[in-house]
Amino acid sequence: GAGVSQSPSNKVTEKGKDVELRCDPISGHTALYWYRQSLGQGLEFLIYFQGNSAPDKSGLPSDRFSAERTGGSVSTLTIQRTQQEDSAVYLCASSLDNRGTEAFFGQGTRLTVV
Amino acid sequence: AQTVTQSQPEMSVQEAETVTLSCTYDTSENNYYLFWYKQPPSRQMILVIRQEAYKQQNATENRFSVNFQKAAKSFSLKISDSQLGDTAMYFCAFMSYSGGGADGLTFGKGTHLIIQP
């Protein structure tokens, strides 16, 4: 597609369930980023992929969060045993490279944990 | 760690007026990138303007321009001839050059800009 695609757009899940969020970046973009946007914390950087590799996972909020990227393309962010504080909008962005070029964002996944 | 501060939570101006959104940041680095992103109610973040710290010339994009003061660590956004479609949240963001993207963008808390008809 022409832009960054995220699915699902909205997800309501019960506390304790696992969820998987998907990001399909712009074709040819080597850099991929995940962010979390919540009222209390604003926009937080979670993780960065260069190709399939994530050099630093320390931005992930807890060990319940994991992310992977395969084939230098699609990425998934998985949250295990969801908690109410995980409720937020999860944004994915991709850019051509990691040298400050424009990051194109998806429309995000709004996650609500009930 | 870098920090980005936007001191105006909300601003409201009349259509066609000029408005300036303020942003300050803190870093010990000499080379970096600064951005203004717009987020309308659709949630999708859209790049408004980008500045490379080693360039002294202020970036401009049509009605949007920045006042980049490196020594003061200030990066304000000026919107001229404001339009109803400019109503959105505006985020100032910083990216390290030396980090190679690994630290992602550091965002400010945002300014909610409302353009009144």
Side-chain angles (χ1 to χ4, degrees):
Chain A
V4 177
S5 177
Q6 290 187 247
S7 60
S9 296
N10 293 282
K11 175 73 176 178
V12 180
T13 190
E14 291 181 352
K15 179 181 171 181
K17 300 280 190 184
D18 297 352
V19 295
E20 191 172 276
L21 312 181
R22 176 188 168 105
C23 173
D24 203 339
I26 293 172
S27 178
H29 281 194
T30 61
L32 185 147
Y33 305 84
W34 283 97
Y35 296 88
R36 180 168 71 173
Q37 185 173 26
S38 58
L39 278 175
Q41 301 298 322
L43 277 151
E44 303 171 83
F45 166 69
L46 299 180
I47 194 167
Y48 153 75
F49 286 91
Q50 181 59 35
N52 291 336
S53 166
D56 184 358
K57 300 182 179 180
S58 63
L60 294 173
S62 76
D63 58 9
R64 296 184 294 104
F65 286 70
S66 63
E68 65 174 15
R69 187 180 185 192
T70 54
S73 180
V74 172
S75 177
T76 53
L77 178 69
T78 301
I79 310 172
Q80 295 179 308
R81 306 181 302 282
T82 51
Q83 303 294 314
Q84 286 187 329
E85 61 262 28
D86 299 334
S87 295
V89 174
Y90 290 83
L91 294 168
C92 175
S94 71
S95 60
L96 198 58
D97 58 39
N98 62 351
R99 284 303 175 193
T101 51
E102 179 179 357
F104 292 83
F105 283 79
Q107 289 190 296
T109 294
R110 180 180 295 281
L111 176 66
T112 304
V113 182
V114 298
Chain B
Q2 291 80 20
T3 59
V4 177
T5 302
Q6 293 180 251
S7 58
Q8 305 148 314
E10 186 170 289
M11 296 186 72
S12 180
V13 299
Q14 296 294 124
E15 194 176 5
E17 289 185 346
T18 294
V19 60
T20 298
L21 309 183
S22 66
C23 172
T24 58
Y25 57 94
D26 190 24
T27 183
S28 58
E29 299 188 22
N30 191 48
N31 290 324
Y32 45 87
Y33 308 95
L34 294 166
F35 307 83
W36 278 97
Y37 276 90
K38 167 185 177 181
Q39 187 178 41
S42 67
R43 269 191 342 229
Q44 186 155 19
M45 301 278 276
I46 302 164
L47 179 67
V48 175
I49 202 161
R50 171 180 177 272
Q51 175 84 39
E52 297 173 45
Y54 70 87
K55 290 185 177 178
Q56 293 186 342
Q57 187 171 3
N58 289 325
T60 62
E61 286 289 339
N62 301 313
R63 297 183 295 109
F64 300 87
S65 61
V66 296
N67 183 3
F68 173 46
Q69 301 289 327
K70 191 173 182 180
K73 295 179 183 173
S74 171
F75 184 61
S76 61
L77 174 70
K78 185 172 85 170
I79 305 174
S80 304
D81 185 26
S82 56
Q83 300 174 1
L84 297 178
D86 295 334
T87 293
M89 283 291 292
Y90 286 80
F91 293 94
C92 179
F94 172 102
M95 177 177 275
S96 166
Y97 177 86
S98 62
D103 298 327
L105 290 161
T106 300
F107 287 92
K109 294 290 188 187
T111 296
H112 184 205
L113 176 64
I114 300 167
I115 308 299
Q116 304 277 8

